[in-house]
Amino acid sequence: MIKHDDGSYTIYSGLPEFGYELLSAIPLAWHLHQKGLLRRTISGYDTKALYWFSPQHDELDEPRSWDNVEKLLKARFPNIAIHCKQLDWSLFAPPPYKDHYQSSAIQFAKPTLIISNRINSEWNGEPINFLNVGTLNNIFALLREKYRIIYLETSHFSAKYEDHSEFDRSSNRMQGLNLSGVITFSELLKHHPSTSINELQCRLYAGCEKFISSNGGLGILASYFGGENVIFSKKCHELNPDINSFYGWYPRLSGATISVARSEPELLERIHDKWADDLPLFNILIRTSGRPNYFHDCITSIIDQDYKNVNIIVGYDDPASEKYIQKFPCLRIPLQRWDKEVPTQPAGEQYGIWFPFNEYFNYLLPYAKQGYVLYLDDDDCFVDSSALSKLAETIKRQRADAVFWRVQFPNRLVPSEKNWLKKMPVCRDVSTIGYAHSVVICPSWEPWKRGDFRVADFVYRTAVNPVWFDAVLTGLQRIVEDGYGKRDDKPTVDMPSVPSVTVVIPAFKATDYLEDCLDSVLAQGSDILSLQVLVGIDACPETLQMIKKLSIKYGSSVQFWRSKQNVGSYVIKNSLLRKMSRRDGLVLFFDSNDLMPKGLLKDYLNRYLVFKRKDEYCVGVRVNLIDFPMVPFFKGDESKVRLVDNRIVEKIISSGSDSFYGRFGRELAAFHTLKYRYRPRHHDLKVLCEPAHGILLIEMKALEAVGAYNKERVSMDDDLIARLKSAGYKILVDPDASWFVRRVNDQSMSMSAETDLGTSYQAKIKQKYAEHLAAGIVKASWHAVELRPVL
């Protein structure tokens, strides 16, 4: 970036990867152009169409590269660090591509659907985030009758458009693609021989409202053209919950509605809902500030709906509040608190006291481009998981452009029975969260109380077909009606009746064990309503190399993270917990050398629910284990006793610990661990099946209450349980519950009945934290390190 003597600028893009330029040099140039400060732009091949506003644009016939990105990062070029939770909007203005190219837009008799398929090597390996033949054929079959489908593949581009790796041009990968009724981008290029690829894309995108794309430049470009963009991505930096840019700020490029699919089935489900069934899109606007617990339960009441065609738009006026918002699938809009003089209050009963927070909705409404608008505050929620399905069915059946319903307040319904029968909004007896309207209806929120009535009245009078739906869909989380703009919060989040389960696994030198462990964990999924698996690599190069292969096998079913420094398993667990957006579920800590028999998670979840109903202070259950020595259960050794069938563990895992094989295996394990379990000092045997150290199913909010683990490398399991008990929580032990298999060998600490984690160092650590507890220090500092996704 060069500043000239007259104050104008020349912007040289630096030829980074395409997506980086779309988010750095181009919006910076447009920002300067709007201020009358842009003199000249310089970039790579075929970029004039992207810099159409530049007084002078020069193209260099030089390649793009990742090395150029690194140079720009060192030079601190504005917004070149695109993997962030927010861009620097003071140096960013999105060019209005759709408006500019509207006059030359390419359109067809049917609405256009553009599918952009990027197929190239990713992170020095095989293509990952691309649409395979089976998925594409399903999409074509589903939508070709309703839409003119344009299929764009990177193989349609010449080598001049490659930026960090060659485009995959293998015909074998896409063999069997049924393009009947589909127009390919290469065909369009033949019909427009004098038009460059980027100009043709811009003209094509300008005439389109529906896109399917992936992470990278093609997905970013589509997001500059409004409409709806479903981004398919299995893994990338943008999915990191600490960044979450797809939802967090991609919509700000043009007001596009962004949704993300991380697997082929999820993509097909989203497309079916949105464009095959034409289900109404619900834009849900939320105001929040300083209420992490209320907000959590508000947004999870949306996420838990059985109706998924939603677009969540959140405004916040406190920068610190972004921290608790950013992990959720919502657009984040920072707002400015009112700092001007309070104007004179208008006359009339319909105007209450000064309430500037009403105006926040005016800044969120422009991002609701299609469908319907609903309003929530962070201390509100949907009353059940079918609320939006009921609303959608009412809208479709009655062709409503506005719907009014009833709201559950702590001790009453709003509107009251008397006013509900009037079928029109009544001042002081209507709620902001009690109606929805088409985006065609454009209300304005004024900074005075009773705005809910004024907007409801406007919607009612403007709507062509307002419908009064006699059902309770939304309600207040509060037990007393005393919110009114206060930045208070409830003590903790609420637990759902059937919570989700997240399995947290630290891994170090786990190449021999981890895959079997994960297979056994994922096999529990059919028994659990919602199962998430997080694996953290504790700076182990061998395990990391293996994980890169496993990530392809497991796709979005397992999230793999890595630490640059070796910090020990407890800090890795703490760090993985930080990646979770939801705080109303259960966490199961598991080790990479352990195996889960069939039905174990279901068994412990059910036992937790039974215990919880009996005692609200029960927050978890310790999980039982049985040690299985490597010989003879896992590998052959002619010098040791061997089983005739050494696949007994496989049968236990597939059948369950309470099955015939489980009971048989338990007796075998008892025999083969005799020498390890014998305790000479006590002249007895250590118990075969007992609660494992550190393997427990526990409420996430209980872990929050005590600050998760302390940061030492040993003895933190007992410390955690001691702190939980000191805080008044109960961790149950049930000897009749299922057990898991732990693979152990002669070097495993758990195989030594005499020492059994009893070194002087461990004794010192235990003494240290026992003193902390005696001093009343119950809450740990939740020490964590940065974890990066394994790509």
Side-chain angles (χ1 to χ4, degrees):
M1 184 166 63
I2 302 171
K3 185 176 182 179
H4 301 286
D5 292 341
D6 62 357
S8 65
Y9 289 83
T10 291
I11 300 297
Y12 170 47
S13 72
L15 303 182
E17 294 181 6
F18 184 52
Y20 284 80
E21 182 167 355
L22 287 171
L23 295 173
S24 57
I26 294 175
L28 174 62
W30 175 252
H31 167 75
L32 294 171
H33 171 73
Q34 287 181 305
K35 294 178 175 294
L37 298 176
L38 183 66
R39 176 188 291 190
R40 180 188 178 202
T41 52
I42 307 168
S43 188
Y45 177 75
D46 187 19
T47 50
K48 186 174 182 180
L50 304 174
Y51 289 89
W52 49 267
F53 51 85
S54 177
Q56 179 186 342
H57 182 71
D58 298 321
E59 295 183 359
L60 303 177
D61 191 10
E62 298 176 13
R64 299 179 178 275
S65 71
W66 172 250
D67 288 343
N68 290 341
V69 174
E70 292 186 321
K71 291 175 184 176
L72 291 166
L73 286 167
K74 289 179 181 178
R76 302 193 175 208
F77 193 91
N79 286 314
I80 195 64
I82 65 174
H83 300 308
C84 56
K85 65 180 182 180
Q86 284 287 356
L87 297 172
D88 180 357
W89 299 101
S90 68
L91 295 172
F92 187 106
Y97 284 116
K98 191 151 198 158
D99 291 344
H100 177 74
Y101 283 101
Q102 197 63 55
S103 60
S104 59
I106 298 172
Q107 295 178 307
F108 303 90
K110 292 189 288 188
T112 306
L113 165 65
I114 297 175
I115 302 174
S116 303
N117 199 10
R118 177 174 61 86
I119 311 176
N120 60 265
S121 171
E122 298 184 70
W123 300 288
N124 300 315
E126 287 290 305
I128 298 170
N129 299 304
F130 73 99
L131 298 167
N132 60 38
V133 170
T135 302
L136 285 169
N137 284 341
N138 282 329
I139 295 172
F140 295 159
L142 188 65
L143 300 175
R144 63 163 50 98
E145 296 300 321
K146 293 179 66 173
Y147 297 94
R148 172 56 69 193
I149 300 175
I150 308 299
Y151 176 65
L152 184 153
E153 189 181 289
T154 44
S155 64
H156 300 156
F157 292 45
S158 73
K160 283 182 174 289
Y161 293 85
E162 296 171 349
D163 47 23
H164 71 282
S165 63
E166 294 182 2
F167 296 142
D168 188 299
R169 304 180 193 281
S170 169
S171 58
N172 294 332
R173 191 182 299 277
M174 303 308 288
Q175 192 171 8
L177 188 62
N178 182 3
L179 293 170
S180 174
V182 175
I183 299 176
T184 66
F185 190 69
S186 59
E187 291 173 326
L188 287 173
L189 285 170
K190 293 175 184 176
H191 284 88
H192 298 83
S194 61
T195 305
S196 74
I197 281 181
N198 281 335
E199 182 183 349
L200 185 59
Q201 281 190 97
C202 288
R203 291 175 57 193
L204 192 60
Y205 287 20
C208 181
E209 291 292 324
K210 292 174 170 48
F211 302 87
I212 300 172
S213 62
S214 65
N215 58 292
L218 293 177
I220 297 169
L221 184 61
S223 300
Y224 267 111
F225 283 84
E228 291 185 276
N229 184 13
V230 180
I231 299 176
F232 174 71
S233 185
K234 294 182 178 179
K235 65 175 187 175
C236 62
H237 292 291
E238 292 87 340
L239 293 171
N240 184 339
D242 295 325
I243 296 172
N244 196 16
S245 51
F246 288 144
Y247 285 111
W249 51 260
Y250 267 48
R252 296 181 68 176
L253 301 183
S254 65
T257 300
I258 305 293
S259 54
V260 180
R262 299 193 61 176
S263 67
E264 290 84 358
E266 184 182 4
L267 174 65
L268 292 170
E269 182 180 1
R270 286 190 180 276
I271 291 169
H272 202 287
D273 288 350
K274 285 178 172 292
W275 302 330
D277 290 346
D278 287 325
L279 298 179
L281 173 69
F282 291 130
N283 301 278
I284 303 174
L285 279 51
I286 305 175
R287 301 177 294 195
T288 188
S289 182
R291 292 173 174 169
N293 294 331
Y294 274 132
F295 175 80
H296 176 281
D297 288 355
C298 173
I299 197 168
T300 55
S301 79
I302 303 171
I303 294 169
D304 289 343
Q305 291 292 304
D306 55 22
Y307 187 93
K308 301 301 182 184
N309 196 18
V310 298
N311 179 34
I312 308 172
I313 305 166
V314 179
Y316 59 97
D317 63 4
D318 170 23
S321 296
E322 186 177 17
K323 184 176 181 180
Y324 66 75
I325 302 168
Q326 70 183 36
K327 292 183 174 68
F328 287 102
C330 59
L331 170 59
R332 306 185 297 268
I333 303 297
L335 303 167
Q336 294 295 321
R337 293 184 185 178
W338 183 274
D339 59 358
K340 305 172 188 174
E341 186 176 335
V342 177
T344 303
Q345 181 176 341
E349 183 196 18
Q350 65 189 39
Y351 286 94
I353 63 172
W354 173 248
F355 198 72
F357 313 114
N358 277 348
E359 288 198 329
Y360 289 176
F361 284 135
N362 292 334
Y363 296 100
L364 306 184
L365 277 166
Y367 294 97
K369 299 288 189 180
Q370 55 225 321
Y372 292 77
V373 176
L374 291 80
Y375 305 93
L376 290 177
D377 279 325
D378 49 13
D379 55 353
D380 302 323
C381 64
F382 288 101
V383 296
D384 62 50
S385 61
S386 63
L388 288 179
S389 290
K390 297 171 187 173
L391 180 59
E393 198 229 342
T394 299
I395 288 171
K396 291 200 77 172
R397 187 179 68 251
Q398 302 195 43
R399 298 183 179 179
D401 56 349
V403 180
F404 296 83
W405 60 85
R406 306 185 80 177
V407 178
Q408 183 66 64
F409 276 60
N411 298 302
R412 62 192 174 105
L413 286 179
V414 173
S416 64
E417 191 67 26
K418 175 183 176 181
N419 287 328
W420 177 260
L421 295 174
K422 295 178 181 179
K423 298 294 186 285
M424 61 182 295
V426 175
C427 190
R428 297 179 185 242
D429 198 18
V430 69
S431 172
T432 301
I433 66 173
Y435 50 87
H437 61 81
S438 165
V439 296
V440 176
I441 300 171
C442 302
S444 178
W445 287 81
E446 300 170 288
W448 305 96
K449 272 289 188 180
R450 298 171 202 155
D452 46 11
F453 164 72
R454 295 190 300 274
V455 170
D457 188 60
F458 173 83
V459 168
Y460 172 71
R461 295 178 186 280
T462 307
V464 175
N465 185 27
V467 170
W468 294 79
F469 179 39
D470 193 3
V472 178
L473 302 183
T474 51
L476 276 62
Q477 297 182 50
R478 296 177 177 274
I479 57 174
V480 178
E481 298 174 37
D482 62 349
Y484 306 117
K486 293 193 302 185
R487 287 175 171 82
D488 59 344
D489 200 9
K490 60 182 181 180
T492 186
V493 298
D494 294 335
M495 292 288 289
S497 57
V498 182
S500 61
V501 177
T502 298
V503 180
V504 169
I505 304 173
F508 180 76
K509 294 187 177 180
T511 54
D512 293 335
Y513 310 122
L514 185 57
E515 185 171 5
D516 290 339
C517 171
L518 290 175
D519 286 343
S520 73
V521 171
L522 292 174
Q524 313 288 319
S526 59
D527 296 332
I528 304 298
L529 183 65
S530 176
L531 176 64
Q532 178 180 222
V533 182
L534 306 179
V535 177
I537 313 304
D538 191 10
C540 176
E542 300 87 355
T543 306
L544 179 60
Q545 194 61 36
M546 174 196 184
I547 290 301
K548 290 186 177 182
K549 297 177 182 177
L550 291 184
S551 64
I552 297 173
K553 172 182 176 179
Y554 295 118
S556 59
S557 299
V558 180
Q559 294 182 34
F560 293 103
W561 301 89
R562 62 183 177 90
S563 170
K564 282 190 172 181
Q565 53 183 318
N566 180 263
V567 291
S569 64
Y570 299 110
V571 173
I572 292 294
K573 291 177 186 179
N574 281 352
S575 306
L576 288 171
L577 293 175
R578 290 293 192 197
K579 296 299 180 182
M580 296 170 58
S581 60
R582 298 193 62 147
R583 298 150 49 222
D584 60 349
L586 298 171
V587 174
L588 178 73
F589 296 112
F590 210 54
D591 288 340
S592 59
N593 63 327
D594 296 336
L595 297 167
M596 273 190 199
K598 180 182 178 182
L600 181 136
L601 267 187
K602 181 180 180 181
D603 182 33
Y604 278 90
L605 176 58
N606 289 339
R607 291 173 190 272
Y608 157 80
L609 292 172
V610 170
F611 292 143
K612 189 70 175 181
R613 283 192 288 268
K614 294 178 180 177
D615 188 344
E616 64 176 309
Y617 294 102
C618 170
V619 296
V621 188
R622 291 181 66 181
V623 184
N624 298 327
L625 78 84
I626 291 181
D627 288 334
F628 278 68
M630 296 300 289
V631 178
F633 293 102
F634 295 99
K635 61 183 179 181
D637 187 332
E638 294 301 331
S639 65
K640 302 289 178 79
V641 178
R642 295 187 63 192
L643 296 176
V644 175
D645 182 357
N646 62 1
R647 293 177 299 165
I648 184 66
V649 173
E650 295 178 19
K651 294 178 179 178
I652 295 171
I653 301 307
S654 62
S655 304
S657 63
D658 197 39
S659 66
F660 166 79
Y661 291 106
R663 294 190 296 273
F664 178 53
R666 177 179 178 137
E667 296 304 316
L668 287 172
F671 171 75
H672 286 287
T673 56
L674 279 173
K675 69 174 183 178
Y676 302 115
R677 292 188 293 116
Y678 178 63
R679 300 188 301 177
R681 291 182 188 174
H682 306 280
H683 302 289
D684 65 2
L685 290 174
K686 183 181 175 183
V687 176
L688 174 70
C689 181
E690 62 180 349
H693 281 278
I695 309 300
L696 69 159
L697 183 70
I698 184 170
E699 294 175 8
M700 177 64 174
K701 66 178 186 178
L703 291 169
E704 280 191 318
V706 299
Y709 287 101
N710 274 305
K711 65 179 181 179
E712 310 295 344
R713 290 177 179 264
V714 297
S715 300
M716 293 298 94
D717 300 313
D718 289 341
D719 171 68
L720 173 64
I721 291 175
R723 287 186 290 113
L724 285 164
K725 289 181 178 178
S726 182
Y729 297 117
K730 296 179 181 178
I731 306 294
L732 275 297
V733 173
D734 189 343
D736 296 325
S738 302
W739 45 266
F740 69 91
V741 172
R742 170 155 292 170
R743 290 176 279 198
V744 292
N745 54 44
D746 291 341
Q747 283 72 48
S748 298
M749 284 191 289
S750 63
M751 294 300 285
S752 173
E754 281 301 293
T755 57
D756 196 18
L757 307 178
T759 66
S760 58
Y761 169 69
Q762 288 159 340
K764 182 179 179 181
I765 294 297
K766 286 182 178 181
Q767 179 64 28
K768 172 184 174 181
Y769 287 99
E771 292 172 359
H772 283 195
L773 203 56
I777 303 174
V778 173
K779 191 166 185 177
S781 60
W782 202 318
H783 183 73
V785 294
E786 181 186 10
L787 296 182
R788 296 186 177 184
V790 177
L791 300 173

